[in-house]
Amino acid sequence: MPRAPTADWLRGGRTRGRAVRCARARGDGRMAAWGCVASLGAARWLCWRAARAAAGLLGRPSRRSYAVGPAQSPPTFGFLLDIDGVLVRGHRVIPAALEAFRRLMNSQGQLRVPVVFVTNAGNSLQHSKAQELSALLGCEVDADQVILSHSPMKLFSEYHEKRMLVSGQGPVVENAQGLGFRNVVTMDELRMAFPLLDMVDLERRLKTTPLPRNDFPPIEGVLLLGEPVRWETSLQLIMDVLLSNGSPGTGLATPPYPHLPILASNMDLLWMAEAKMPRFGHGTFLLCLETIYQKVTGKELRYEGLMGKPSILTYQYAQDLIRQQAERRGWVAPIRKLYAVGDNPTSDIYGANLFHQYLQKATRDGAPELGAGGPRQQQPSASQSCISILVCTGVYNPRNPQSTEPVLGGEQPPFHGHRDLCFSPGLMEASHVVNDVNEAVQLVFHEEGWASE
């Protein structure tokens, strides 16, 4: 659990504001995530905000310095770092990220604590993303330190031999094969096999009617790795596969339900690049698919697995990589605390807080049963907490915190999370809010009594 600030901390220049919430206990404002408790009523929300204001906990982040003690060895904590909006904006590295990694590395150029990069991006190869980060940050990043949104699909071995339709962009076949899927079909391959299915783009419509095919093996499931380029084509073909039970060249009088299994990653509705406003993410594509399926069939689209932040499955996967990294470095002390740094309250902060609650409940009562985003393998965990840290260099803007403030009339703010996540406003409240990742690292070192080198 986050510690209350010390007197030295307060005298060191910390402003009492929204910027830092270490005075607030983790349970304050955290609505129950287990059992999908519905969203708060407007009156209850406003009372909660009023209580925080009375306590002096509403404000903006400010620059501050941290007095820290001597370094500890070996580390008992690790970092889960988001990439877009925390370390980079588009293809540009955020200057604070370079300062942060100077603190994180020792004089030999090695990381002083275990670090894993957790991104909801998925349109590149794992080793390519590691090479990109190495060049940007000036330190060596291994491929097994990078978690893409679809990385936990490696755990879904029961689907690895099935014939799966894959949606996304970039090296989708290589990514799917790297995850263990040995028999994948791309959208282009399906479109070429059944050219009459893709009818939106007039320029791509055939001028003649092709002969029907009966030699195309049925598709047995769908992989949604990330947002595609031609949304209309992917939405149409995925619907055709689901409604035809994997044989889009035929028609069924009654669509099957449950439909074919779907594994999806990256639920981000929006993400931050170099534009002034956020861009559509894969969560927007999923919203389109879910809405179309519901409208056409009258039933709810179901997922066998949902991964990427904020799913607990992704954080559990990251926790295991932290443990393996510590073991390779010879750090024998168990990693008890994880610090998750992100820029998006709906994915990064919600996910870290949800995982914290999961760890707390698992410690008390054993691992709870969860849905499509829950753990695949319930193994004992050395980690006892996951502390969320929100930075202001990406999606979150302290001058316009639209996702966390009540709208006019006291109504609840719009929830940008996925449909299968219950709306719990308290889970989008970070344990700490700082300006950038460099301040986040300083804060953690202060909390852990470590010195900056």
Side-chain angles (χ1 to χ4, degrees), residues 33-102:
W34 317 112
C36 268
V37 176
S39 53
L40 297 173
R44 191 173 179 182
W45 169 268
L46 290 176
C47 289
W48 179 74
R49 298 293 290 184
R52 290 178 59 82
L57 293 176
L58 298 181
R60 295 180 180 178
S62 64
R63 297 287 175 185
R64 51 197 171 276
S65 60
Y66 302 88
V68 294
Q72 297 177 352
S73 181
T76 58
F77 63 97
F79 283 94
L80 310 181
L81 299 181
D82 184 30
I83 298 178
D84 293 301
V86 174
L87 304 177
V88 301
R89 286 282 296 267
H91 296 289
R92 298 179 180 177
V93 65
I94 296 173
L98 300 177
E99 291 295 325
F101 273 84
R102 292 190 187 102

Side-chain angles (χ1 to χ4, degrees), residues 98 242 314:
L98 300 177
L242 297 178
T314 291

Side-chain angles (χ1 to χ4, degrees), residues 295-363:
K295 193 71 172 178
V296 171
T297 68
K299 297 181 173 65
E300 186 175 82
L301 189 77
R302 298 171 57 179
Y303 299 95
E304 295 301 316
L306 270 174
M307 52 222 78
K309 297 173 291 187
S311 78
I312 290 178
L313 175 61
T314 291
Y315 286 86
Q316 187 187 46
Y317 189 83
Q319 172 193 244
D320 197 50
L321 292 190
I322 286 281
R323 177 188 58 79
Q324 295 175 26
Q325 189 180 146
E327 290 175 354
R328 287 195 301 270
R329 292 290 301 274
W331 294 325
V332 295
I335 303 301
R336 298 295 188 188
K337 188 180 293 186
L338 302 174
Y339 290 93
V341 184
D343 70 304
N344 191 329
T346 305
S347 58
D348 301 316
I349 304 308
Y350 192 108
N353 291 337
L354 189 65
F355 188 55
H356 176 81
Q357 287 195 352
Y358 170 81
L359 291 174
Q360 297 287 295
K361 188 171 181 64
T363 300

Side-chain angles (χ1 to χ4, degrees), residues 214-430:
N214 54 12
D215 60 343
F216 195 84
I219 291 170
E220 300 174 282
V222 180
L223 296 177
L224 305 177
L225 301 187
E227 58 268 29
V229 175
R230 286 180 171 266
W231 285 29
E232 78 284 358
T233 297
S234 294
L235 289 169
Q236 179 69 75
L237 269 58
I238 293 170
M239 283 294 297
D240 289 334
V241 166
L242 297 178
L243 297 179
S244 66
N245 204 32
S247 300
T250 63
L252 296 179
T254 303
Y257 196 82
H259 52 68
L260 293 175
I262 300 176
L263 301 178
S265 63
N266 186 358
M267 296 170 273
D268 282 353
L269 186 77
L270 304 168
W271 68 287
M272 200 70 190
E274 292 163 300
K276 299 298 183 182
M277 293 186 293
R279 305 292 87 195
F280 288 156
H282 192 222
T284 306
F285 179 83
L286 296 181
L287 178 61
C288 293
L289 179 62
E290 293 157 7
T291 304
I292 294 171
Y293 187 86
Q294 175 79 39
K295 193 71 172 178
V296 171
T297 68
K299 297 181 173 65
E300 186 175 82
L301 189 77
R302 298 171 57 179
Y303 299 95
E304 295 301 316
L306 270 174
M307 52 222 78
K309 297 173 291 187
S311 78
I312 290 178
L313 175 61
T314 291
Y315 286 86
Q316 187 187 46
Y317 189 83
Q319 172 193 244
D320 197 50
L321 292 190
I322 286 281
R323 177 188 58 79
Q324 295 175 26
Q325 189 180 146
E327 290 175 354
R328 287 195 301 270
R329 292 290 301 274
W331 294 325
V332 295
I335 303 301
R336 298 295 188 188
K337 188 180 293 186
L338 302 174
Y339 290 93
V341 184
D343 70 304
N344 191 329
T346 305
S347 58
D348 301 316
I349 304 308
Y350 192 108
N353 291 337
L354 189 65
F355 188 55
H356 176 81
Q357 287 195 352
Y358 170 81
L359 291 174
Q360 297 287 295
K361 188 171 181 64
T363 300
R364 293 193 311 267
D365 311 321
E369 293 291 333
L370 300 174
R376 298 286 290 169
Q377 299 174 347
Q378 298 178 358
Q379 300 177 348
S381 169
S383 299
Q384 298 173 343
S385 62
C386 183
I387 309 304
S388 58
I389 304 177
L390 180 64
V391 299
C392 305
T393 50
V395 170
Y396 177 75
N397 182 349
R399 293 180 297 275
N400 186 27
Q402 296 176 350
S403 62
T404 58
E405 294 287 354
V407 296
L408 186 64
E411 298 178 5
Q412 295 169 0
F415 181 52
H416 291 168
H418 187 262
R419 175 202 68 189
D420 291 354
L421 297 174
C422 56
F423 180 34
S424 184
L427 290 178
M428 292 192 291
E429 290 289 323

